[in-house]
Amino acid sequence: QSNALPREAINLRKEAAEALQIATINVLSFATMMTCGTLWAFDVSGVEELRDRVRSMKKQREVKGGTNVAQDQIVAREFEDFLGPSLKKRTGKDENQEMKEAR
């Protein structure tokens, strides 16, 4: 290899843009491969077949009793209790203001 300096000046912006472009293409190709691999693993050959499977899963869930509203409310309350203090700090509201707004 030659140790001579390159004749052209190096454009760092161009190099950075090219690196970003290559990284973006790599991420998109990985996402495409994962999506196709997942569809292959579940033996789905088209959008219509995927829709049919989702519809059949919804029907099965409805037959088994649908969504459990009480369970959903419990989970929502637990989530609210867990994140409540940090959300109050972030918004700057206290419990009195929240109760007034709720009314």
Side-chain angles (χ1 to χ4, degrees), residues 47-61:
V47 176
E48 284 300 318
E49 186 176 351
L50 182 62
R51 285 182 187 151
D52 290 341
R53 286 187 182 205
V54 170
R55 286 181 186 141
S56 68
M57 289 173 59
K58 282 184 178 180
K59 286 179 184 176
Q60 289 175 358
R61 187 173 181 188

Side-chain angles (χ1 to χ4, degrees), residues 45-91:
S45 61
V47 176
E48 284 300 318
E49 186 176 351
L50 182 62
R51 285 182 187 151
D52 290 341
R53 286 187 182 205
V54 170
R55 286 181 186 141
S56 68
M57 289 173 59
K58 282 184 178 180
K59 286 179 184 176
Q60 289 175 358
R61 187 173 181 188
E62 289 171 2
V63 169
K64 290 182 180 178
T67 59
N68 189 347
V69 176
Q71 183 68 24
D72 290 346
Q73 290 175 346
I74 292 170
V75 170
R77 189 171 293 122
E78 288 176 358
F79 183 74
E80 196 173 287
D81 291 341
F82 179 71
L83 286 181
S86 63
L87 290 175
K88 288 175 190 171
K89 288 179 188 176
R90 187 173 248 187
T91 59

Side-chain angles (χ1 to χ4, degrees), residues 7-27:
R7 292 183 182 187
E8 299 175 8
I10 298 173
N11 187 350
L12 294 179
R13 288 184 179 152
K14 182 179 176 183
E15 295 290 328
E18 187 176 347
L20 180 63
Q21 180 183 14
I22 291 171
T24 303
I25 290 172
N26 285 338
V27 169

